[in-house]
Amino acid sequence: MAVRSPGTASPRDPQTATGEVDGVNLEEIREFAKAFKIRRLSLGLTQTQVGQALSATEGPAYSQSAICRFEKLDITPKSAQKIKPVLERWMAEAEARHRAGMQNLTEFIGSEPSKKRKRRTSFTPQALEILNAHFEKNTHPSGQEMTEIAEKLNYDREVVRVWFCNKRQALKNTIKRLKQHEPATAVPMEPLTDSLEENS
C-alpha cells in the first residue's frame, strides 16, 4: 500500500513521479517502514508492546494503531515524516538493550502490561439475566445493540462483545458434546424428533 497522499498530488503528478510529496521522500519512508517491521519482529515485539512503550514516553499519538498504520503506510507523508525519527530512535535503543540481554529489553518495553492489568469482569446476577435474555432473542446483536446493552448495564461495550463471543462458543461446545454422545447407528428422523421432545 502506498503512503496516503493528502490529495494534492495524483499518481501522474511530476512531484509524485520523483518519489516526493510535500517535500517528503516516499521511497525512504517505505523502506524505513518495511525495515522497522522486520526489526520489530526480530526482537519478538508486538505492535501493542511498541505502542504502549512509546505512548508512555512520547504521548498517546504513538499508540498501537499508529504503529499499525505506519507499518501499512496508511498514513499521510507529513505524519510519516514526523513519526519516523521517533521510531528510529526508539528502535535503536530497543536493539541496544536486546543486545545487552533480554531482561534489559523487557524492562524497557514492559511485558504486555495491559494483559497483567486486565481483570475478569464480574457480572451481577441481574446483568447476566438481561444478557441471557438478549442472547435468547439474538445470538449476534449488531454493534448498535451491543452499545445500547452496554450503556444499560453500565459495562464497557468491549466487555459485552466478548461476553456474546464467549456465550456463542460455549453453545457451540455444548452442541458438539451432545453430537459426540449420540448413538452411532442411524435412526429415522421422525422417531428421533419424537424421542427428543419426550425427553425434554
Side-chain angles (χ1 to χ4, degrees):
M1 186 183 294
V3 176
R4 198 170 61 205
S5 167
T8 54
S10 67
R12 293 183 182 180
D13 195 300
Q15 197 180 22
T16 312
T18 60
E20 287 197 9
V21 171
D22 295 333
V24 179
N25 187 320
L26 298 185
E27 193 55 41
E28 187 180 300
I29 296 291
R30 285 193 196 97
E31 288 303 315
F32 175 78
K34 190 193 300 180
F36 181 85
K37 183 176 182 179
I38 291 169
R39 290 161 72 184
R40 173 178 66 76
L41 293 173
S42 71
L43 293 177
L45 300 178
T46 64
Q47 289 176 342
T48 301
Q49 285 175 304
V50 175
Q52 284 170 343
L54 277 166
S55 294
T57 56
E58 304 292 337
Y62 297 91
S63 62
Q64 178 268 334
S65 58
I67 305 302
C68 178
R69 286 196 303 273
F70 183 84
E71 288 187 356
K72 291 195 300 180
L73 297 175
D74 183 20
I75 189 170
T76 63
K78 282 187 177 178
S79 296
Q81 185 72 0
K82 185 180 176 183
I83 198 173
K84 178 177 174 286
V86 177
L87 295 183
E88 177 61 64
R89 186 171 66 247
W90 185 89
M91 181 56 75
E93 186 170 352
E95 287 174 333
R97 285 176 178 263
H98 182 261
R99 283 192 294 272
M102 196 62 203
Q103 183 62 32
N104 286 316
L105 179 62
T106 303
E107 287 171 4
F108 179 53
I109 56 104
S111 52
E112 296 283 15
S114 64
K115 289 185 180 176
K116 287 184 178 178
R117 278 203 307 268
K118 278 190 178 178
R119 294 178 182 177
R120 286 179 69 90
T121 302
S122 297
F123 291 98
T124 63
Q126 294 86 350
L128 285 171
E129 191 178 331
I130 292 168
L131 285 166
N132 280 307
H134 278 286
F135 188 82
E136 284 175 19
K137 290 179 193 171
N138 182 11
T139 58
H140 288 78
S142 66
Q144 185 180 345
E145 286 171 327
M146 279 196 281
T147 300
E148 288 170 1
I149 295 168
E151 286 175 357
K152 183 179 179 182
L153 299 177
N154 201 25
Y155 286 110
D156 285 344
R157 184 182 178 282
E158 180 65 10
V159 168
V160 172
R161 186 192 69 78
V162 170
W163 184 89
F164 272 91
C165 284
N166 291 342
K167 188 75 174 173
R168 286 194 297 269
Q169 189 58 50
L171 182 62
K172 278 183 188 175
N173 292 341
T174 302
I175 293 168
K176 193 175 178 182
R177 281 199 300 271
L178 287 172
K179 283 183 177 178
Q180 285 173 348
H181 288 96
E182 282 180 0
T185 54
V187 182
M189 285 305 292
E190 287 183 16
L192 178 62
T193 306
D194 292 340
S195 65
L196 285 173
E197 287 173 356
E198 288 166 9
N199 291 334
S200 60

